[in-house]
C-alpha cells in the first residue's frame, strides 16, 4: 500500500504527541493552571483557546488532504492501468472527483482542458484553510506581546498604589503588591504561551500542513 498519502498525517500525529509530552514535562510543576483561573486580563485563556481552535483546523486540514490524496492515488492507479476513461469520478464526492470529472467532461466534448485552472478552483478551499491556520500562529505571537504590555501596565499600577499607600495602611499596600505580582504573572505567562505555542509548536504544525496542498496538486 502506498504510504505517501499518509505521510502528512503521520508527521502531524508524531509532532502533536511529542509537543504534548514536552509541554507537559516542562510546565507540569509550574502554577500556570492556577494562574489561568485568576488571570485578571484573561488574555492567557484567549491564547490557549485560539491555539486549540488553530490546532483543530490544522488537524481537519490534514485529514481532508489525506483523504484527497488517497482518492487521487486510486485514480492514478486506474489511469495507469486502463487510461483516463477507467477513472470513475463522481462530480461532488471530493475535490479529486470534481477535478477528474471536469477533466473528462472537457476532453469528451473535444475541448482543451485547462488543468492548472481546474486544480486552482478545486483546491482553493484547502489553501484558504492553510492560510487561516498560519494566521492563527501569528495571532498567538501578537497576543503574547499584547499580554506583555498589559502585564507591565498592571504591574506599574500596582506598584503605584503601594507607593501611595499611607504608612500604617497595610491593606492598601498588600493590595497594590498583589496587583503588581498579578501583572508580572500576566507579563510572564502571556509572552511564554504566545512564543512557545505560536512561535514554536504551532509553527511546526504549519510547516507540516503547508506542503500538503502542493503535494496533492502534483499528485493530481
Amino acid at each position: 500500500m502506498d504510504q505517501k498519502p499518509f505521510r502528512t498525517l503521520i508527521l502531524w500525529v508524531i509532532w502533536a504527541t511529542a509537543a504534548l509530552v514536552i509541554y507537559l514535562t516542562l510546565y507540569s510543576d509550574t502554577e500556570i493552571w492556577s494562574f489561568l483561573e485568576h488571570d485578571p486580563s484573561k488574555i492567557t485563556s484567549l491564547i490557549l483557546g485560539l491555539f486549540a481552535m488553530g490546532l483543530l483546523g490544522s488537524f481537519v486540514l490534514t485529514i481532508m488532504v489525506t483523504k484527497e490524496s488517497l482518492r487521487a492515488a486510486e485514480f492514478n492507479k486506474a489511469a495507469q492501468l486502463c487510461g483516463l476513461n477507467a477513472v470513475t469520478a463522481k462530480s461532488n464526492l471530493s475535490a479529486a472527483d470534481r477535478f477528474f470529472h471536469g477533466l473528462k467532461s472537457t476532453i469528451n466534448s473535444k475541448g482543451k482542458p485547462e488543468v492548472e485552472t481546474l486544480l486552482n478552483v478545486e483546491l482553493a478551499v484547502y489553501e484558504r484553510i492553510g492560510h487561516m491556520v498560519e494566521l492563527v500562529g501569528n495571532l498567538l505571537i501578537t497576543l503574547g506581546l499584547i499580554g506583555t504590555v498589559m502585564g507591565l501596565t498592571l504591574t506599574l499600577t500596582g506598584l503605584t498604589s503601594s507607593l501611595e499607600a499611607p504608612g500604617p495602611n497595610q491593606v492598601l499596600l498588600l493590595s497594590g503588591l498583589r496587583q503588581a505580582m498579578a501583572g508580572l504573572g500576566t507579563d510572564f505567562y502571556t509572552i511564554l504561551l504566545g512564543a512557545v505555542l505560536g512561535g514554536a509548536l504551532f509553527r511546526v504544525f504549519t510547516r507540516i500542513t503547508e506542503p500538503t496542498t502542493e503535494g496533492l496538486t502534483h499528485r493530481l
Side-chain angles (χ1 to χ4, degrees), residues 143-170:
L143 285 174
L145 296 174
I146 293 174
T148 301
V149 175
M150 292 179 64
L152 291 174
T153 302
L154 290 172
T155 301
L156 292 175
T157 302
L159 291 176
T160 301
S161 300
S162 300
L163 292 174
E164 292 178 350
N169 196 335
Q170 298 294 325

Side-chain angles (χ1 to χ4, degrees), residues 20-33:
L20 181 63
V21 171
I22 293 171
Y23 200 72
L24 290 179
T25 301
L26 290 176
Y27 302 111
S28 59
D29 295 332
T30 64
E31 298 181 357
I32 185 171
W33 302 114

Side-chain angles (χ1 to χ4, degrees), residues 75-186:
F75 291 156
N76 184 33
K77 183 177 180 180
Q80 285 182 341
L81 291 175
C82 304
L84 185 61
N85 289 328
V87 176
T88 55
K90 299 180 180 179
S91 59
N92 295 317
L93 186 61
S94 67
D97 282 85
R98 292 191 296 271
F99 168 73
F100 277 101
H101 179 78
L103 191 64
K104 290 178 65 177
S105 298
T106 304
I107 292 175
N108 291 334
S109 61
K110 307 300 181 181
K112 181 181 179 180
E114 296 291 340
V115 177
E116 186 174 351
T117 301
L118 283 173
L119 283 173
N120 290 336
V121 170
E122 298 301 339
L123 300 181
V125 61
Y126 301 120
E127 293 181 354
R128 286 196 294 269
I129 296 175
H131 290 321
M132 290 178 62
V133 169
E134 185 177 3
L135 178 61
V136 169
N138 295 331
L139 284 175
L140 290 174
I141 299 175
T142 303
L143 285 174
L145 296 174
I146 293 174
T148 301
V149 175
M150 292 179 64
L152 291 174
T153 302
L154 290 172
T155 301
L156 292 175
T157 302
L159 291 176
T160 301
S161 300
S162 300
L163 292 174
E164 292 178 350
N169 196 335
Q170 298 294 325
V171 175
L172 288 178
L173 179 62
L174 292 175
S175 176
L177 290 176
R178 289 193 188 96
Q179 185 177 357
M181 293 304 295
L184 286 175
T186 301

